[in-house]
Amino acid sequence: MINIYDSANKLEQDLRQTQEYLDLTAAMAKLKAEPEAYDCFKRVQDAQKNLQAKQMQGDLSDEDVDKIKALAEEAQGYDSLSDLMQKEQALNAVFEEINKIIFKPVSELYNF
């Protein structure tokens, strides 16, 4: 019988060798080499986590939305951060394709 977790672990290892992942790794290294840009990145990450938590609690205010918008505008001022976001999008496209493949049996099951 197949151990699906072995397949998942192999997929994880293979993912680390994709060009998209390697590009993201290089973009992160470049970002970390720029302290101001990396600080902005960390603030954006924290703000996104807080925003998601507040959304789940139904406690999202206009001030919270304005804060994340302001941080997003600041982030656009850093080329290394913009590059990282583009690399994340490319890797996310790979994840979406993998997700379609993984869920194909379920999709086929429900779509007669």
Side-chain angles (χ1 to χ4, degrees), residues 8 24 30 47 53-54 68 70 73 83 89 91-93 102 112:
L24 181 62
K30 182 178 174 185
K54 287 184 177 190
I68 196 78
E73 287 179 25
D83 184 51
Q89 289 174 348
L91 185 59
N92 190 47
I102 290 171
F112 302 21

Side-chain angles (χ1 to χ4, degrees), residues 77-89:
Y78 296 103
D79 290 341
S80 59
L81 188 45
S82 295
D83 184 51
L84 179 81
M85 289 189 275
Q86 289 175 349
K87 304 304 184 205
E88 283 179 350
Q89 289 174 348

Side-chain angles (χ1 to χ4, degrees), residues 14-103:
D14 290 346
L15 176 65
R16 291 177 186 273
Q17 296 178 39
T18 64
Q19 190 61 53
E20 292 82 0
Y21 181 79
L22 296 172
D23 289 347
L24 181 62
T25 301
M28 180 57 86
K30 182 178 174 185
L31 179 68
K32 286 181 176 180
E34 298 177 27
E36 287 181 18
Y38 187 60
D39 178 64
C40 181
F41 168 76
K42 290 189 294 187
R43 288 185 285 124
V44 168
Q45 293 286 354
D46 288 343
Q48 286 175 337
K49 288 177 190 174
N50 290 335
L51 188 74
Q52 288 174 346
K54 287 184 177 190
Q55 276 180 319
M56 291 178 71
Q57 296 171 353
D59 191 27
L60 188 62
S61 70
D62 290 339
E63 183 181 320
D64 295 322
V65 174
D66 291 342
K67 181 180 177 183
I68 196 78
K69 284 181 182 179
L71 277 172
E73 287 179 25
E74 180 184 349
Q76 290 176 354
Y78 296 103
D79 290 341
S80 59
L81 188 45
S82 295
D83 184 51
L84 179 81
M85 289 189 275
Q86 289 175 349
K87 304 304 184 205
E88 283 179 350
Q89 289 174 348
L91 185 59
N92 190 47
V94 172
F95 287 140
E96 288 176 13
E97 288 297 316
I98 291 170
N99 196 38
K100 286 178 188 176
I101 294 166
I102 290 171
F103 283 98

